[in-house]
Amino acid sequence: MFEDLKPGETELVGMWLDLGLKVTGDAIADRVEWLAANRLQKLAEKPDEGAELYRDPRDNRLWEKVLPFAGGPPTLRVITQANAAIRFGYTG
């Protein structure tokens, strides 16, 4: 349905769309959710911060999915191994 992550991609920022009667995520927000559910491997989470750590099995890059504010659209961005250890305690 959506494209896999490309080697040059490092951040996907979803946005809200106000359709008048409802607010919904844009195509990027939908892609972030699809990638998290179908392509990435979940490694850790911080529910209190709305953050999750994933790994792309195709290239082993680590990705952090965050909600910039409570209930906000998702952002997916590359995270270093060192930052994954600090933020999530992940030493994989």
Side-chain angles (χ1 to χ4, degrees):
M1 180 170 181
F2 292 98
E3 289 185 29
D4 285 325
L5 290 163
K6 299 174 188 152
E9 289 182 308
T10 58
E11 185 173 50
L12 301 174
V13 180
M15 302 293 284
W16 285 139
L17 299 174
D18 184 349
L19 302 177
L21 296 176
K22 69 175 183 172
V23 175
T24 187
D26 68 358
I28 295 172
D30 291 345
R31 183 175 174 221
V32 167
E33 297 297 351
W34 180 83
L35 287 164
N38 297 290
R39 293 293 193 258
L40 301 175
Q41 296 174 334
K42 189 173 187 178
L43 303 173
E45 64 183 311
K46 294 187 92 169
D48 56 321
E49 294 181 24
E52 299 170 337
L53 179 66
Y54 292 89
R55 182 174 64 83
D56 185 342
R58 295 180 321 128
D59 61 11
N60 288 319
R61 286 189 296 170
L62 296 176
W63 291 83
E64 178 183 38
K65 178 183 161 197
V66 296
L67 302 177
F69 52 90
T75 293
L76 188 65
R77 60 182 170 226
V78 169
I79 184 172
T80 65
Q81 181 73 41
N83 283 339
I86 292 167
R87 292 229 344 106
F88 295 93
Y90 179 76
T91 57

